[in-house]
Each structure stands twice: as C-alpha cells, then as structure tokens.
Amino acid sequence: MKVLKATPANIRDGAQAIRAGDIVAFPTETVYGLGADVFNPVACAKIFEAKQRPQFDPLIVHVESPKQAELLFSTISPQAKILIDKFWPGPLTLVLPKRPEVPPIVTAGLDTVAVRMSSHPVAIALIKAAGTPIAAPSANPFGYLSPTTAEHVRDQLGDRVSIILDGGPCQIGVESTILRVGDPPVLLRPGGLPLEEIEREIGKVTIGNPVASAPEAPGQLKSHYSPRTPLTIITDPVQLPLGKKIGYLSFKKPAHELTVNKLEVLSATGDLREAAANLFTCLHRLDDAGMDIIFAEPVPEEGLGRAIMNRLQKAASR
Ligand code: TXA
Ligand code: MG
C-alpha cells in the first residue's frame, strides 16, 4: 500500500491503476472514496472485498462533468436538470433510473443508480485521466466511521488498497446528501448539502424513513456509522458515571470545565459547518483514546446539524 501525494504524476498513476482494474482511494470534498472503474464489475467487486461490505449496498458513481452522467442515467428529468445545474459540482448525489450498461454489482441489482460530481480537483483530475466514471463508496470498512484524511484510510484499510492519493483533509467532512429524484423527491440520506437549499430549488422533499433491514440506502441503517466505543447522546443535565474513562464530544467550547478523560470540541464557536467538517475526526480521536464510553452533545437540527445528528444517532444505536 502506498500513500502518494496527489501530484499530477501520481494522479496519472492512480488513473492507470483504475484502468487496469485496481482500486484507488482518493479525496473528495466530503470524505475519501475507494474507487474503481464503474464499467469493470470485477474491479467493483474489489471494493466490496476491501470494505467487507454487504452485497445489498449499492455504490455512488462519480463523474467529472454533468455530460458524463449521461453514460449512467437513462433519462435526466427536468427536476434533475435543475439540481445538477445548481448544485454540481458539490455534495449532492442524485438517484435516477440507470442505463443497462451500468453493472448490477454497482447498484446491487436496483434499476436506479446514484451519481454525483465532486468539487474536489483531485477527484475530477483522476476521473478525467482514467477516462471513465469511478464507482466509489466511502473508503472505510463497512459500518465504521468515514475517513476524512489519507491517514484514516491507511489506518482502516491498510494493505487492502494499493494506492491512496493524499489530497489533505476533506473540507466538508460528512458524506453527500442523497436524493431520489421524482414526484415526490425523497431524501435518502441527509449530508453535506442542507435540505433547505434543495427545497429552495424544487419545493417540498419527502424524508425517507430509517429502516432496520433491506434499506433503500444502507446509509439509512440505524447503526451504520459507528465507533467501537459505546456512544450515548446526552440529555442535560447528565450524571457522568464515576470510575469510568469518559470521552466527551462537545458541540461548542464548554461553558465550564468538565471532569472527563478526553474532550473533543466540534466547533469552539458553535458553527455547524465547522462542526460537520470535524465530526468524524473528533469521533476517530475519541474512539482511539481507549475510553469506556463516549458522551456526545446534541447539536441543533438545522442545516448541516441534521446530518450530524443522523450520524450521532446511528453511532448511538449500535
Ligand atoms: O460523499 C459521499 O457520498 C461519499 C464520497 C466518497 O463521494 N461516498 C459515500 O458512499 O458516502 P457510500 O457508499 O458510503 O454511501 C453510498 C450510499 C449508500 O447508503 C447506498 O446505499 C446509497 O448511497 N445508494 C447508492 N446507490 C443507490 C440507489 N440506486 N438507490 C438508493 N440508494 C443508493
Ligand atoms: Mg459509507
């Protein structure tokens, strides 16, 4: 396994590996992805292998332009067109009926495919150099925290991936928002693009329900994003247990000193965008600190706060 700085030469090597049917980890503005040539089913299978991901879990396909999405979507509705014009490149994944050329391993047998155009220059350059859309879930073992740095990928996947392109920490830090286009449009996963901004363009969006099994988006599985350490969302005032090593995830800078073993602050000023960008990094640190339990403060459920609470609730329902 090689961690390579995302220079033009190394991006070319990454693209060559993709063309040769290998898997490559690369940065996006949301989280790091683990990519393969979408039209090479064996290469896509390597993703599931590396992630030890259940087969029912379909992959998000990354394109370098709206034009390239036409290779994947069978039709692009007027509603989809509005969203693409407004929000691509960016943290919005659209689910639409797929073309027959898209292998079923990519969509887990569904007749729809999830596609997005990342705003990260390394992702765009890699897809262009590979000359094919790249299927890529987050580059973490199934059910574990999403990686927001190249080090997270290396620590979690190690030798299961041959090349990791290092483009620094991810700006947004939570996965893309997933929307099934249609009448009504359905939010399958809250994420980096706030729901309010989508509704401003296309009106009311139906919220998909979290379901326990055979979910439409496995990101909807209640326990999908989990640290190994038990996590509890606190309701104040909390009685911190004695004789236990306590990790504490604070939304803002605490008003008074807390008697905990390890403290992580999502955003000193209580800024939700900064909190989202720090979420997985803070959870990784708490999880690696050998605590008995992690207490997490709730954040306001507006804008990116919805995606943050979604992740925390999943981590807590483990
Ligand atoms: O920000 C992101 O979206 C990151 C970066 C790497 O782009 N990717 C990501 O992929 O989060 P992943 O595989 O961890 O999450 C993909 C989600 C899954 O919950 C999957 O079930 C859902 O997208 N999905 C994919 N295809 C779908 C489809 N046809 N219908 C419904 N959900 C779909
Ligand atoms: Mg994931």
Side-chain angles (χ1 to χ4, degrees):
M1 177 261 308
K2 286 185 286 192
V3 180
L4 302 175
K5 203 157 168 287
T7 60
N10 287 336
I11 291 171
R12 275 196 299 279
D13 285 354
Q16 176 54 40
I18 295 272
R19 277 200 302 275
D22 242 319
I23 54 175
V24 172
F26 63 97
T28 80
E29 77 279 39
T30 56
V31 301
Y32 273 71
L34 184 60
D37 176 356
V38 68
F39 295 119
N40 181 338
V42 175
C44 292
K46 291 183 189 169
I47 296 175
F48 292 98
E49 225 168 42
K51 279 184 67 93
Q52 301 175 302
R53 186 179 221 203
Q55 291 288 328
F56 59 73
D57 204 350
L59 307 173
I60 291 177
V61 187
H62 298 67
V63 293
E64 43 93 351
S65 61
K67 181 84 190 137
Q68 200 179 41
E70 293 170 17
L71 296 173
L72 305 160
F73 290 147
S74 61
T75 49
I76 297 179
S77 64
Q79 186 184 66
K81 179 105 180 39
I82 291 171
L83 294 168
I84 288 171
D85 287 348
K86 179 77 186 177
F87 296 116
W88 281 13
L92 175 65
T93 296
L94 298 177
V95 174
L96 278 167
K98 78 177 190 76
R99 292 181 69 96
E101 293 81 5
V102 180
I105 191 165
V106 173
T107 61
L110 298 173
D111 54 9
T112 53
V113 62
V115 179
R116 83 180 192 95
M117 178 181 172
S118 166
S119 65
H120 201 295
V122 173
I124 297 292
L126 181 69
I127 301 164
K128 279 192 175 150
T132 178
I134 293 180
S138 49
N140 53 293
F142 178 74
Y144 194 59
L145 298 169
S146 289
T148 52
T149 64
E151 290 72 42
H152 291 159
V153 181
R154 186 197 57 207
D155 293 349
Q156 294 181 11
L157 290 178
D159 286 332
R160 284 187 251 155
V161 50
S162 50
I163 296 181
I164 301 170
L165 289 174
D166 185 353
C170 300
Q171 292 295 309
I172 292 181
V174 290
E175 297 89 340
S176 61
T177 300
I178 304 180
L179 187 81
R180 191 178 61 216
V181 178
D183 187 18
V186 178
L187 180 75
L188 297 177
R189 177 177 77 183
L193 180 68
L195 182 62
E196 292 87 340
E197 290 192 35
I198 297 173
E199 291 192 321
R200 212 172 292 142
E201 299 303 317
I202 59 166
K204 192 86 194 117
V205 168
T206 301
I207 312 288
N209 281 328
V211 278
S213 62
E216 188 161 21
Q220 296 178 342
L221 276 174
K222 277 185 109 186
S223 68
H224 195 63
Y225 303 91
S226 307
R228 287 154 302 191
T229 315
L231 181 146
T232 302
I233 300 175
I234 60 163
T235 45
D236 65 346
V238 68
Q239 188 78 44
L240 296 174
L242 293 173
K244 284 203 194 280
K245 279 187 273 177
I246 297 170
Y248 193 91
L249 184 65
S250 181
F251 172 41
K252 308 174 192 185
K253 190 171 186 294
H256 39 255
E257 209 184 312
L258 295 164
T259 44
V260 298
N261 300 77
K262 184 154 177 66
L263 172 71
E264 290 288 339
V265 179
L266 287 175
S267 163
T269 58
D271 177 281
L272 282 170
R273 190 169 298 160
E274 186 184 24
N278 288 332
L279 178 65
F280 284 118
T281 304
C282 289
L283 284 174
H284 275 289
R285 273 197 226 119
L286 288 169
D287 203 20
D288 290 342
M291 298 291 107
D292 296 317
I293 186 162
I294 299 169
F295 287 103
E297 281 182 4
V299 305
E301 291 203 53
E302 64 200 30
L304 288 178
R306 207 178 273 116
I308 296 171
M309 283 307 287
N310 174 272
R311 303 301 183 273
L312 288 179
Q313 272 149 6
K314 281 173 181 158
S317 70
R318 199 166 153 244

